[in-house]
Amino acid sequence: MQVEEAMCFNDYWNDPRFLQKRPFRPGSVKQRYGDNIYHCELGSNDWIQEDGRHSLADGSPNYSHVKKDTNPPRVLISRKFIYFGEKAIVLPRLFISPEYRHLFVGMRDFHRNFPIEVKDVFIEWIDELCEDGGIKGEPLDW
């Protein structure tokens, strides 16, 4: 994704642009999987996890998800992203070559300064993939 904005969870929770991203368990599959699920009560640092896909089956908070999902405590906003889900692809050879494969590690909070020649080619490749929309497949567990 190309990050356009970063905000705290309470701002995300309260922003009218993202109200439709709050989970709604009796709704459609997409509504049950809403990602606007974390916020804190005014004056508190205790996380509230709304009843949704990341909660326990009875709707109570899943504290292992709360801890992982709220660290760091910010939401990244983008309109330019790719989500492969069940239609995951193999990266082009350049990105998995021995010289560069260490740059593409799929783990949370992994940061890397890419060599300019790789960065430019990667951005061009992503731009081509985004031409017909960012969502390529459904989540694996739907």
Side-chain angles (χ1 to χ4, degrees), residues 41-125:
E41 290 291 336
L42 190 61
S44 170
N45 289 326
D46 296 329
W47 289 107
I48 296 170
Q49 181 189 54
E50 296 295 330
D51 183 8
R53 172 65 176 94
H54 292 274
S55 307
L56 298 176
D58 66 359
S60 61
N62 181 332
Y63 291 106
S64 67
H65 280 268
V66 173
K67 184 177 179 179
K68 178 180 70 171
D69 293 344
T70 59
N71 184 24
R74 68 179 177 276
V75 178
L76 303 178
I77 309 298
S78 175
R79 286 174 296 207
K80 186 176 180 181
F81 64 90
I82 303 239
Y83 179 83
F84 292 105
E86 66 186 358
K87 295 186 178 176
I89 64 169
V90 175
L91 287 171
R93 184 178 297 284
L94 170 66
F95 307 133
I96 57 176
S97 69
E99 183 180 3
Y100 296 121
R101 73 172 170 242
H102 68 284
L103 297 173
F104 296 92
V105 176
M107 56 198 273
R108 189 181 197 108
D109 297 326
F110 184 80
H111 302 279
R112 180 67 73 188
N113 291 320
F114 291 87
I116 193 71
E117 69 273 8
V118 174
K119 181 177 131 186
D120 289 344
V121 172
F122 187 77
I123 289 172
E124 184 178 315
W125 177 66

